[in-house]
Amino acid sequence: MDLSIRPIAPAEHTALGQITAHAYLDDGLLDFGADDPYLETLRDVPRRVAEADVLVAVGADGTLLGGVTYAPPGNPWADIAGPDEAEFRMLAVAREARGHGAGEALVRACIDRARATEGVARLVLSTQPAMLGAHRIYHRLGFVRTPERDWDPIEGLSLLTYSLSL
């Protein structure tokens, strides 16, 4: 699939919020389904844009395929990153666009940003155990599991962590 990665445009905020929300809902990743409080965070792209970097994958025809939130060191969107680490979150690709390279292209864009940021030694992330497609991307790109950093943001939700040394 021919696609490009770029910063999100304001007109795409709602669409990316919907793609992200549906990716989590449709894959059964929210414990409380449509009533899960995290759904509002997933949909709130304007807040993410104001506080972090949001990148999107766009098809050759302009179709929005997915997006990711990149948090440089010290950013409020970083959950597990240390002072010399960048982090990415909320990687989501529309169901109809999966398997065509959009997710991997978004992760590669985060790697490129981290490498271009002075003082960043690693790129880190948290993921749910059920996100097997994403795990395959991480392994393919050289990320390694860091089980010593696994954590539970809320009771009953255990997240796995990965790291890529730059």
Side-chain angles (χ1 to χ4, degrees):
M1 175 180 278
D2 189 22
L3 60 88
S4 61
I5 306 296
R6 60 167 172 74
I8 191 168
E12 297 167 325
H13 290 184
T14 300
L16 181 60
Q18 288 302 101
I19 287 171
T20 309
H22 279 290
Y24 279 70
L25 270 174
D26 297 347
D27 289 349
L29 301 172
L30 298 173
D31 289 342
F32 303 107
D35 295 324
D36 198 296
Y38 191 54
L39 212 49
E40 183 57 35
T41 301
L42 295 172
R43 286 188 174 119
D44 194 355
V45 176
R47 178 175 165 220
R48 286 192 266 155
V49 168
E51 299 174 351
D53 298 331
V54 178
L55 305 173
V56 292
V58 181
D61 64 355
T63 302
L64 187 64
L65 306 173
V68 67
T69 299
Y70 173 83
N75 188 276
W77 283 89
D79 283 327
I80 63 166
D84 64 344
E85 298 174 328
E87 184 170 342
F88 69 88
R89 299 183 52 192
M90 299 178 197
L91 174 66
V93 175
R95 181 161 304 284
E96 61 276 7
R98 291 183 185 177
H100 299 286
E104 184 169 328
L106 287 161
V107 174
R108 285 183 185 279
C110 290
I111 293 168
D112 291 344
R113 279 185 179 244
R115 284 187 172 139
T117 304
E118 186 176 333
V120 174
R122 276 172 302 289
L123 180 60
V124 298
L125 66 104
S126 300
T127 182
Q128 291 187 27
M131 295 177 168
L132 300 177
H135 300 174
R136 285 190 292 275
I137 292 171
Y138 307 146
H139 287 286
R140 189 167 46 248
L141 296 179
F143 285 83
V144 295
R145 278 276 293 120
T146 52
E148 69 280 4
R149 295 176 80 166
D150 291 355
W151 64 297
D152 301 330
I154 60 171
E155 187 175 332
L157 176 62
S158 295
L159 296 180
L160 309 177
T161 60
Y162 284 81
S163 174
L164 176 69
S165 292
L166 306 171

